[in-house]
Amino acid sequence: MMSIGSRDMARHTRSVNASRLAPLMLLLLALSGCGWITDTLGPAPVQRGNRVDPEKLAQITPGIQTRSDVEALLGSPSARGTFDEDNWYYISAQTRLQPGRFLQVEDRRVVAISFNRQGVVSGVRELGEADGRPVQMVSRETPVPGSERNLLQSLFGNLGRPSMGGTPGIGNPANAGGRY
């Protein structure tokens, strides 16, 4: 015959909820790797920059509109030419921040509008990825004289230098009790 204590002990060692949780855990594990979940349940895309409406862009005719007409129709450009005011760029992109990933650019659009010296539109074109140029980053640093110290200089560099801080004595007349 079993005692009351051993019967309670046998009841607590058995997990009642494990049989219910196991299929749910397997389902969650299987669905956690699916990309469609993050795409459908992820954050909405964010519009960045000044996106040019295609209908408004079609209204610009080279040789007729001026800078003020283009600015009134499309708004201020995202960027202007570096060395002159003859090129305006309207840059826009839709981005989405994916969980655990970098910022993903979904739709990038660059519209370039060129002006002649009189300020009249001379050309309108849309730039794509083929128009871009790869830029190589340079990882060089400009050396600064005196900043290169070896291990021994770092360890023993301040030995023998006079103290300018807290101890009175030679080299620190302020702490010498007024005597020079």
mmCIF file of all heavy atoms in Angstrom, residues 67 79-89 115 117 133:
data_model
loop_
_atom_site.group_PDB
_atom_site.id
_atom_site.type_symbol
_atom_site.label_atom_id
_atom_site.label_comp_id
_atom_site.label_asym_id
_atom_site.label_seq_id
_atom_site.Cartn_x
_atom_site.Cartn_y
_atom_site.Cartn_z
ATOM 1 N N ARG A 67 13.891 77.650 -63.422
ATOM 2 C CA ARG A 67 14.136 77.110 -62.070
ATOM 3 C C ARG A 67 12.947 77.358 -61.156
ATOM 4 O O ARG A 67 12.541 76.475 -60.400
ATOM 5 C CB ARG A 67 15.379 77.769 -61.466
ATOM 6 C CG ARG A 67 16.670 77.241 -61.984
ATOM 7 C CD ARG A 67 17.837 77.817 -61.153
ATOM 8 N NE ARG A 67 19.077 77.266 -61.608
ATOM 9 C CZ ARG A 67 19.934 77.908 -62.389
ATOM 10 N NH1 ARG A 67 19.680 79.140 -62.786
ATOM 11 N NH2 ARG A 67 21.054 77.318 -62.762
ATOM 12 N N ALA A 79 19.131 67.715 -53.546
ATOM 13 C CA ALA A 79 20.528 68.129 -53.652
ATOM 14 C C ALA A 79 20.688 68.985 -54.894
ATOM 15 O O ALA A 79 19.925 68.874 -55.846
ATOM 16 C CB ALA A 79 21.441 66.915 -53.720
ATOM 17 N N ARG A 80 21.701 69.834 -54.847
ATOM 18 C CA ARG A 80 22.044 70.667 -56.012
ATOM 19 C C ARG A 80 23.466 70.329 -56.420
ATOM 20 O O ARG A 80 24.198 69.696 -55.673
ATOM 21 C CB ARG A 80 21.924 72.145 -55.662
ATOM 22 C CG ARG A 80 20.498 72.533 -55.336
ATOM 23 C CD ARG A 80 20.400 73.982 -54.899
ATOM 24 N NE ARG A 80 19.068 74.230 -54.362
ATOM 25 C CZ ARG A 80 18.280 75.183 -54.797
ATOM 26 N NH1 ARG A 80 18.684 76.008 -55.727
ATOM 27 N NH2 ARG A 80 17.092 75.335 -54.275
ATOM 28 N N GLY A 81 23.850 70.783 -57.605
ATOM 29 C CA GLY A 81 25.207 70.527 -58.081
ATOM 30 C C GLY A 81 26.240 71.027 -57.091
ATOM 31 O O GLY A 81 26.055 72.061 -56.449
ATOM 32 N N THR A 82 27.347 70.315 -56.979
ATOM 33 C CA THR A 82 28.366 70.673 -56.003
ATOM 34 C C THR A 82 29.053 71.978 -56.349
ATOM 35 O O THR A 82 29.268 72.822 -55.477
ATOM 36 C CB THR A 82 29.420 69.544 -55.919
ATOM 37 O OG1 THR A 82 28.746 68.329 -55.623
ATOM 38 C CG2 THR A 82 30.445 69.830 -54.848
ATOM 39 N N PHE A 83 29.387 72.184 -57.605
ATOM 40 C CA PHE A 83 30.146 73.358 -57.988
ATOM 41 C C PHE A 83 29.348 74.377 -58.787
ATOM 42 O O PHE A 83 29.873 75.426 -59.136
ATOM 43 C CB PHE A 83 31.380 72.937 -58.800
ATOM 44 C CG PHE A 83 32.274 72.019 -58.018
ATOM 45 C CD1 PHE A 83 32.351 70.677 -58.313
ATOM 46 C CD2 PHE A 83 33.026 72.510 -56.958
ATOM 47 C CE1 PHE A 83 33.165 69.834 -57.585
ATOM 48 C CE2 PHE A 83 33.844 71.678 -56.225
ATOM 49 C CZ PHE A 83 33.915 70.332 -56.536
ATOM 50 N N ASP A 84 28.113 74.075 -59.092
ATOM 51 C CA ASP A 84 27.268 75.019 -59.816
ATOM 52 C C ASP A 84 25.808 74.774 -59.452
ATOM 53 O O ASP A 84 25.465 73.797 -58.822
ATOM 54 C CB ASP A 84 27.481 74.895 -61.333
ATOM 55 C CG ASP A 84 27.149 73.509 -61.859
ATOM 56 O OD1 ASP A 84 26.619 72.685 -61.096
ATOM 57 O OD2 ASP A 84 27.420 73.251 -63.037
ATOM 58 N N GLU A 85 24.947 75.675 -59.867
ATOM 59 C CA GLU A 85 23.507 75.544 -59.608
ATOM 60 C C GLU A 85 22.772 74.997 -60.830
ATOM 61 O O GLU A 85 21.551 75.092 -60.900
ATOM 62 C CB GLU A 85 22.934 76.919 -59.242
ATOM 63 C CG GLU A 85 23.363 77.423 -57.887
ATOM 64 C CD GLU A 85 22.633 76.706 -56.763
ATOM 65 O OE1 GLU A 85 21.428 76.454 -56.890
ATOM 66 O OE2 GLU A 85 23.294 76.387 -55.770
ATOM 67 N N ASP A 86 23.514 74.427 -61.780
ATOM 68 C CA ASP A 86 22.910 74.000 -63.043
ATOM 69 C C ASP A 86 22.291 72.601 -62.985
ATOM 70 O O ASP A 86 21.660 72.187 -63.954
ATOM 71 C CB ASP A 86 23.948 74.043 -64.175
ATOM 72 C CG ASP A 86 24.402 75.465 -64.459
ATOM 73 O OD1 ASP A 86 23.657 76.404 -64.129
ATOM 74 O OD2 ASP A 86 25.511 75.632 -65.001
ATOM 75 N N ASN A 87 22.472 71.874 -61.912
ATOM 76 C CA ASN A 87 21.914 70.529 -61.798
ATOM 77 C C ASN A 87 21.178 70.388 -60.468
ATOM 78 O O ASN A 87 21.729 70.693 -59.410
ATOM 79 C CB ASN A 87 23.023 69.468 -61.866
ATOM 80 C CG ASN A 87 23.687 69.444 -63.217
ATOM 81 O OD1 ASN A 87 23.022 69.349 -64.237
ATOM 82 N ND2 ASN A 87 25.000 69.528 -63.239
ATOM 83 N N TRP A 88 19.935 69.924 -60.559
ATOM 84 C CA TRP A 88 19.130 69.656 -59.372
ATOM 85 C C TRP A 88 18.822 68.162 -59.345
ATOM 86 O O TRP A 88 18.569 67.546 -60.385
ATOM 87 C CB TRP A 88 17.818 70.430 -59.406
ATOM 88 C CG TRP A 88 17.960 71.889 -59.111
ATOM 89 C CD1 TRP A 88 19.108 72.611 -58.951
ATOM 90 C CD2 TRP A 88 16.891 72.818 -58.962
ATOM 91 N NE1 TRP A 88 18.816 73.911 -58.698
ATOM 92 C CE2 TRP A 88 17.460 74.083 -58.698
ATOM 93 C CE3 TRP A 88 15.520 72.716 -59.020
ATOM 94 C CZ2 TRP A 88 16.697 75.222 -58.502
ATOM 95 C CZ3 TRP A 88 14.757 73.851 -58.819
ATOM 96 C CH2 TRP A 88 15.340 75.090 -58.552
ATOM 97 N N TYR A 89 18.825 67.594 -58.128
ATOM 98 C CA TYR A 89 18.561 66.172 -57.966
ATOM 99 C C TYR A 89 17.429 65.982 -56.964
ATOM 100 O O TYR A 89 17.478 66.511 -55.858
ATOM 101 C CB TYR A 89 19.820 65.445 -57.466
ATOM 102 C CG TYR A 89 20.991 65.609 -58.402
ATOM 103 C CD1 TYR A 89 21.963 66.572 -58.167
ATOM 104 C CD2 TYR A 89 21.111 64.810 -59.534
ATOM 105 C CE1 TYR A 89 23.033 66.730 -59.023
ATOM 106 C CE2 TYR A 89 22.176 64.954 -60.396
ATOM 107 C CZ TYR A 89 23.130 65.933 -60.141
ATOM 108 O OH TYR A 89 24.184 66.098 -60.995
ATOM 109 N N PHE A 115 19.858 72.621 -65.974
ATOM 110 C CA PHE A 115 19.483 73.965 -66.429
ATOM 111 C C PHE A 115 20.639 74.550 -67.224
ATOM 112 O O PHE A 115 21.805 74.239 -66.985
ATOM 113 C CB PHE A 115 19.191 74.872 -65.230
ATOM 114 C CG PHE A 115 18.055 74.394 -64.368
ATOM 115 C CD1 PHE A 115 18.297 73.644 -63.229
ATOM 116 C CD2 PHE A 115 16.739 74.689 -64.683
ATOM 117 C CE1 PHE A 115 17.276 73.197 -62.420
ATOM 118 C CE2 PHE A 115 15.705 74.252 -63.879
ATOM 119 C CZ PHE A 115 15.966 73.504 -62.752
ATOM 120 N N ARG A 117 22.640 78.244 -68.618
ATOM 121 C CA ARG A 117 23.132 79.424 -67.877
ATOM 122 C C ARG A 117 22.035 80.463 -67.626
ATOM 123 O O ARG A 117 22.140 81.252 -66.692
ATOM 124 C CB ARG A 117 24.292 80.079 -68.629
ATOM 125 C CG ARG A 117 25.506 79.210 -68.727
ATOM 126 C CD ARG A 117 26.174 79.129 -67.393
ATOM 127 N NE ARG A 117 27.291 78.194 -67.451
ATOM 128 C CZ ARG A 117 27.779 77.599 -66.416
ATOM 129 N NH1 ARG A 117 27.272 77.821 -65.235
ATOM 130 N NH2 ARG A 117 28.771 76.762 -66.536
ATOM 131 N N ARG A 133 28.354 55.094 -59.806
ATOM 132 C CA ARG A 133 29.729 54.619 -59.842
ATOM 133 C C ARG A 133 30.094 54.048 -58.484
ATOM 134 O O ARG A 133 29.769 54.638 -57.460
ATOM 135 C CB ARG A 133 30.679 55.764 -60.162
ATOM 136 C CG ARG A 133 30.527 56.293 -61.542
ATOM 137 C CD ARG A 133 31.565 57.351 -61.802
ATOM 138 N NE ARG A 133 30.869 58.474 -62.423
ATOM 139 C CZ ARG A 133 31.316 59.695 -62.457
ATOM 140 N NH1 ARG A 133 32.441 59.999 -61.879
ATOM 141 N NH2 ARG A 133 30.627 60.639 -63.040
#
